[in-house]
């Protein structure tokens, strides 16, 4: 029985193939395609000599199991040859905070994009500040101008491409060139595109993070996070994971592997449906702007085209000025779009947002109420009808 993951291919496998074949060890699984879900803590050593030498592939489940190994190998194959290792965390936020603790220490300074995921901002302003690390927020459209914000103690730059509410598209290669010239590491929260659509480690990023709760899990049924690092960053990342005791439960790791196997087909559909809904919304009289990087009208479109091979199903719209009760009438009228946080699952979601009160380096004044939509895997004609019903209620209120 061949194991396609280790047949010694003569050229690198394409991403879709790597997602299906990597991390498989069918011989060890007595022919089964999938790895076992190892519920375990203790690993037994057969002899005293083995015990003293810590001999054996696994030592203790917190450091890895056959299940985590299969996941890590699959994500590494997707990230590409620049990836030196994948760390796993119990949530996306834990992946981010663990990474920041790995690269920063008391007296250091970090540059963080102003459109950052808000709980990341809370961590920088809270625990990280308490540990003596200073944060400066920057306008994510700053590009090479970020050079002016560096201090002698700046150790890292954190970007999100694009921001998961407002969809600004930072120029990662330009930011990375400056950061590396200054001796700092670049961290990218790559949850929106995933490494399937954005190979950030090839574009100058040192550590690429996934809230795998979103598209990798893909079914709104797990909390999970990943840290993919290049050779420069990996030793500090894995050491910090070990010292902090970060790990994840085997059932969630298994569901994340299962999610990776179908990531390419799901994302291709999210891309198609998302773009079709974005174009449909752009033509609606109630909508003054659609914030979707794959639309030609988006200010970050050229960067998206250069650095990304696809778009996911998450984007935002700005409605024409209207009172809150009109927006609430829209939200209450839609039935297929659920009101809830998170995204990346099979289902469509809608949520109002306003980041004006907590931004510090850039101004958020879009000129009307803002809604973020996640386009799920439903039929787009049904989704259009649902939003049309919402707009009717919006106009009537
Ligand atoms: C959801 C999200 C996170 C956090 O992931 P959790 O698994 O919910 O902790 C981080 N970054 C972005 C961009 C997210 O959307």
């Amino acid at each position: 029985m061949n194991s396609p993951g280790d047949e010694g291919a003569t050229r690198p496998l394409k991403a879709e193939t790597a997602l299906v074949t990597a991390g498989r060890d069918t011989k060890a699984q007595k022919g089964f395609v999938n790895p076992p879900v190892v519920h375990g803590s203790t690993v037994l050593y057969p002899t005293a000599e083995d015990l003293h030498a810590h001999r054996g592939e696994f030592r203790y489940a917190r450091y890895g199991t056959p299940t985590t190994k299969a996941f890590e190998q699959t994500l590494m194959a997707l990230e590409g040859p620049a990836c030196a290792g994948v760390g796993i965390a119990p949530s996306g936020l834990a992946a981010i905070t663990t990474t920041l603790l790995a690269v920063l220490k008391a007296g250091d300074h970090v540059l963080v994009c102003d459109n950052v995921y808000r709980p990341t901002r809370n961590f920088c302003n809270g625990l990280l500040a308490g540990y003596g690390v200073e944060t400066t927020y920057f306008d994510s459209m700053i590009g090479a101008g970020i050079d002016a914000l560096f201090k002698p103690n700046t150790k890292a730059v954190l970007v999100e491409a694009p921001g998961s509410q407002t969809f600004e598209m930072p120029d990662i290669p330009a930011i990375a060139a400056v950061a590396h010239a200054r001796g700092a590491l670049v961290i990218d929260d790559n949850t929106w595109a995933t490494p399937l659509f954005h190979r950030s480690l090839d574009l100058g990023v040192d550590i690429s993070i996934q809230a795998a709760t979103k598209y990798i899990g893909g079914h709104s049924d797990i909390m999970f996070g990943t840290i993919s690092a290049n050779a420069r960053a990996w030793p500090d990342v894995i050491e910090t994971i070990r010292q902090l005791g970060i790990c994840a439960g085997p059932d969630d790791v298994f569901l994340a592997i299962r999610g990776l196997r179908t990531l390419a087909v799901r994302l291709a559909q999210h891309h198609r449906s998302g773009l079709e809904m974005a174009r449909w919304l752009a033509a609606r009289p109630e909508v003054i702007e659609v914030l979707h990087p794959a639309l030609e009208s988006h200010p970050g479109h050229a960067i998206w085209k250069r650095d990304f091979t696809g778009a996911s199903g998450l984007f935002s719209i700005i409605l024409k000025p209207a009172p809150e009760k009109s927006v609430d009438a829209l939200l209450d009228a839609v039935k297929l779009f659920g009101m809830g946080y998170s995204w990346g699952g099979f289902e469509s979601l809608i949520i109002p947002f306003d980041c004006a009160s907590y931004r510090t380096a850039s101004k958020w004044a879009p000129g009307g109420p803002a809604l973020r939509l996640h386009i799920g895997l439903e039929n787009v004609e049904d989704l259009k009808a649902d939003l049309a019903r919402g707009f009717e209620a919006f106009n009537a209120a």
Side-chain angles (χ1 to χ4, degrees):
M1 179 70 205
N2 289 329
S3 177
D6 48 37
E7 71 183 0
T10 51
R11 64 171 176 82
L13 297 171
K14 302 283 189 204
E16 294 82 356
T17 315
L19 280 171
V20 169
T21 57
R24 280 164 51 177
D25 188 353
T26 46
K27 215 191 266 166
Q29 286 4 299
K30 302 188 190 304
F32 283 94
V33 173
N34 286 306
V37 184
V38 176
H39 286 94
S41 52
T42 306
V43 177
L44 297 177
Y45 295 91
T47 68
E49 196 193 322
D50 289 319
L51 175 71
H52 294 315
H54 293 300
R55 199 173 289 143
E57 190 177 351
F58 300 100
R59 277 172 65 180
Y60 185 53
R62 199 173 62 230
Y63 301 128
T65 69
T67 318
T68 62
K69 184 182 167 197
F71 177 84
E72 289 162 13
Q73 287 183 341
T74 310
L75 185 55
M76 275 183 81
L78 182 64
E79 297 277 11
C83 184
V86 163
I88 63 181
S91 71
L93 183 59
I96 295 164
T97 58
T98 301
T99 297
L100 290 170
L101 290 172
V103 304
L104 298 163
K105 60 179 182 346
D108 285 348
H109 173 241
V110 60
L111 290 166
V112 175
C113 59
D114 208 23
N115 62 1
V116 72
Y117 180 64
R118 196 167 180 197
T120 304
R121 181 185 285 266
N122 293 341
F123 178 74
C124 292
N125 295 347
L127 279 180
L128 213 50
Y131 292 147
V133 175
E134 187 201 354
T135 301
T136 300
Y137 295 95
F138 64 89
D139 183 333
S140 43
M141 299 311 289
I142 198 167
I146 198 168
D147 194 59
L149 300 179
F150 273 79
K151 301 182 181 194
N153 58 339
T154 306
K155 293 291 160 56
V157 179
L158 174 67
V159 293
E160 234 174 272
S164 67
Q165 288 184 309
T166 48
F167 298 92
E168 299 96 333
M169 260 297 174
D171 188 337
I172 288 182
I175 290 172
V178 173
H180 292 156
R182 295 281 197 161
L185 290 168
V186 179
I187 303 162
D188 177 24
D189 182 336
N190 190 25
T191 301
W192 181 81
T194 84
L196 183 69
F197 286 162
H198 182 63
R199 284 265 289 255
S200 52
L201 295 176
D202 292 345
L203 293 165
V205 167
D206 299 288
I207 303 174
S208 178
I209 292 170
Q210 282 291 305
T213 305
K214 311 288 169 55
Y215 285 116
I216 289 182
H219 294 74
S220 306
D221 53 5
I222 56 168
M223 300 299 300
F224 196 52
T226 66
I227 310 168
S228 302
N230 64 14
R232 180 181 170 199
W234 176 244
D236 284 338
V237 168
I238 188 61
E239 183 61 22
T240 304
I241 285 173
R242 295 209 165 140
Q243 289 199 20
L244 288 173
I246 300 290
C247 59
D251 295 305
D252 291 342
V253 178
F254 180 78
L255 288 172
I257 296 170
R258 191 160 82 158
L260 281 177
R261 299 296 184 217
T262 61
L263 181 70
V265 284
R266 287 186 289 106
L267 270 186
Q269 187 60 46
H270 286 294
H271 171 105
R272 267 195 301 276
S273 297
L275 205 47
E276 182 167 345
M277 293 303 294
R279 294 213 163 97
W280 181 80
L281 283 159
R284 290 288 312 193
E286 299 86 353
V287 175
I288 58 174
E289 199 178 351
V290 178
L291 308 176
H292 190 308
L295 287 185
E296 296 73 12
S297 59
H298 189 272
H301 182 67
I303 290 175
W304 175 80
K305 235 173 132 170
R306 186 191 65 191
D307 295 345
F308 292 69
T309 55
S312 66
L314 190 77
F315 64 91
S316 292
I317 58 174
I318 311 300
L319 299 170
K320 66 183 187 190
E324 197 176 315
K325 73 171 180 23
S326 306
V327 180
D328 286 351
L330 185 160
L331 295 173
D332 285 333
V334 293
K335 297 290 170 251
L336 295 176
F337 282 84
M339 269 180 283
Y341 294 98
S342 199
W343 42 279
F346 49 79
E347 79 284 21
S348 288
L349 296 168
I350 189 165
I351 204 89
F353 70 92
D354 182 1
C355 37
S357 67
Y358 51 88
R359 288 209 169 194
T360 54
S362 53
K363 209 169 149 57
W364 174 249
L371 296 175
R372 186 181 72 181
L373 291 91
H374 180 252
I375 305 303
L377 301 175
E378 304 90 342
N379 185 289
V380 286
E381 298 310 321
D382 289 337
L383 294 179
K384 288 175 194 170
D386 197 40
L387 286 179
R389 188 161 47 233
F391 285 129
E392 248 172 65
F394 174 82
N395 291 325

